[in-house]
Amino acid sequence: MTARTERPLVLGIETSCDETGVGIVHGGELLVDAVATSVDEHARFGGVVPEVASRAHLEAMVPTLERACTQAGVRLADLDAVAVTSGPGLAGALTVGVAAAKALALALGVPLYGVNHLAAHVAVDTLEHGPLPSPSMALLVSGGHSSLLLVPDVTGDVRPLGRTIDDAAGEAFDKVARLLGLPFPGGPHVDRVARDGGPATIAFPRGLTAAHDMADHRYDFSFSGLKTAVARWVERREASGEPVPVADVAASFQEAVVDVLTRKAVLACRENGVDTLLVGGGVAANSRLRAMAAERCADAGITLRVPRPGLCTDNGAMVAALGSLMVAAGRPPSALDLPADSSMPVTLVQA
Ligand code: KG4
Ligand code: ZN
């Protein structure tokens, strides 16, 4: 079964974490991006609870699908293909999306594309900024992943250069926010309070940037030591009886994260002869990351591409975007028994 390759109408489903996303793309044009989130249900636990996320996907799937079709004025019968996040992500959460996509593809008699969540984060940018130059570099930073990828072809050739060896960047934001008494998810709150603080007031460590680390972990990240350094600093301050300068801690912590992310991303571009850097994932919404990436890319002669914040966080449009590119590239669809693969390797663009 193959889909019409010219201006295909592709529906994308995303359920890898706590967002139920359904997006529809017509050719390279985004028609709708419907998202339901269970983030409020996880807030009191300070992190996403897999079982709660799975149940929320099950409840939100059909209403979100109906909302997407209604808003786009699309009938399911008009679809040329269905795409779904096959992995990586939470196993139970992924299963809900994969099962829904299989049911749709089977009932409609259209091809099914099981795609990699990280490649979809890269592909979404084409909806706003057009085709990706080959090769491009992608820095993907979210609550679940922090990766540096060399991308010759987002539909089939994605090469990992580096990743976090412990916490993801967004996870570090969320943990530090909790330490500072800010709500979950903490990234946007740290971003906000940091505006009134000093980015150089406290010298927090820059993980994996020392010479010996650069030898073994040139493009890798580590945020666990930074998180611990912030925790110790706050503890010492509290023990001294002095108030914790929340804005300064937030700003100095954020500066340490953003400094390392942008430094390594620009280095990777330079050393691999790549002149386009794409930044995606929830943390790409961070105002300091956007500003520093813009500054450092301009200095290095690198073109920076960052999707608008709504497309940086998890959504269905990114899956539809990648599915659409796969159809246009003439890639064969996935088998109907495709798995929900919680640890799907980034090199595997399609299941
Ligand atoms: O991509 P995403 O919606 O979900 C996954 O984790 O895959 O990313 C959510 C993460 C959370 O850790 C959140 O705190 C972080 O992105 N985040 C931010 C900002 N907005 C969201 N981190 C820093 N600054 C922000 N403005
Ligand atoms: Zn994501």
Side-chain angles (χ1 to χ4, degrees):
M1 202 188 325
T2 53
R4 189 162 54 107
T5 53
E6 204 183 314
R7 282 182 64 70
L9 188 66
V10 180
L11 180 129
I13 295 178
E14 153 63 36
T15 63
S16 69
C17 192
D18 58 343
E19 264 93 31
T20 311
V22 179
I24 303 177
V25 167
H26 191 200
E29 188 196 345
L30 176 63
L31 299 187
V32 70
D33 182 24
V35 179
T37 177
S38 60
V39 68
D40 291 344
E41 295 176 53
H42 308 288
R44 69 192 168 99
F45 301 105
V48 175
V49 183
E51 199 53 36
V52 173
S54 307
R55 201 183 52 225
H57 285 308
L58 200 55
E59 288 167 4
M61 179 53 65
V62 172
T64 309
L65 185 63
E66 283 175 344
R67 184 154 57 89
C69 288
T70 306
Q71 281 178 11
V74 162
R75 292 176 316 153
L76 288 176
D78 297 333
L79 294 176
D80 292 307
V82 173
V84 62
T85 301
S86 184
L90 303 171
L94 288 166
T95 302
V96 178
V98 168
K102 285 181 181 179
L104 270 177
L106 198 61
L108 299 171
V110 297
L112 173 65
Y113 289 81
V115 302
N116 189 299
H117 181 80
L118 297 182
H121 267 303
V122 177
V124 74
D125 188 61
T126 61
L127 297 176
E128 279 197 307
H129 302 122
L132 266 181
S134 174
S136 291
M137 191 67 67
L139 172 68
L140 297 184
V141 274
S142 77
H145 30 80
S146 304
S147 307
L148 207 43
L149 310 172
L150 179 66
V151 187
D153 174 5
V154 72
T155 70
D157 187 4
V158 176
R159 304 176 197 174
L161 293 187
R163 56 194 286 269
T164 179
I165 61 166
D166 39 58
D167 292 348
E171 201 179 346
F173 269 96
D174 295 339
K175 287 177 177 169
V176 165
R178 194 173 190 183
L179 215 72
L180 296 175
L182 301 169
F184 174 84
H189 298 283
V190 171
D191 194 350
R192 179 175 45 79
V193 303
R195 285 178 196 167
D196 299 322
T201 306
I202 309 162
F204 285 131
R206 267 61 172 164
L208 299 184
T209 55
H212 62 278
D213 288 325
M214 288 301 278
D216 290 345
H217 292 288
R218 194 161 194 79
Y219 303 131
D220 287 333
F221 305 107
S222 166
F223 299 110
S224 157
L226 168 62
K227 173 199 65 191
T228 307
V230 175
R232 294 291 100 80
W233 196 95
V234 169
E235 278 164 21
R236 278 199 303 277
R237 190 71 178 214
E238 282 169 345
S240 75
E242 282 184 80
V244 175
V246 171
D248 286 335
V249 175
S252 296
F253 156 76
Q254 177 174 271
E255 195 72 4
V257 174
V258 168
D259 178 22
V260 179
L261 290 176
T262 54
R263 212 194 294 179
K264 292 206 175 197
V266 168
L267 182 71
C269 287
R270 277 203 178 124
E271 292 182 344
N272 291 275
V274 176
D275 60 12
T276 300
L277 173 66
L278 185 151
V279 184
V283 182
N286 184 269
S287 60
R288 185 66 186 129
L289 175 57
R290 286 173 169 251
M292 199 187 282
E295 203 178 301
R296 290 186 171 174
C297 282
D299 288 348
I302 296 166
T303 303
L304 176 67
R305 295 170 57 134
V306 192
R308 64 176 148 86
L311 293 181
C312 283
T313 48
D314 291 349
N315 62 77
M318 65 194 225
V319 181
L322 181 52
S324 175
L325 292 175
M326 292 202 148
V327 171
R331 300 245 170 223
S334 308
L336 265 182
D337 64 353
L338 76 93
D341 182 355
S342 60
S343 54
M344 188 172 183
V346 66
T347 46
L348 201 62
V349 174
Q350 188 185 348

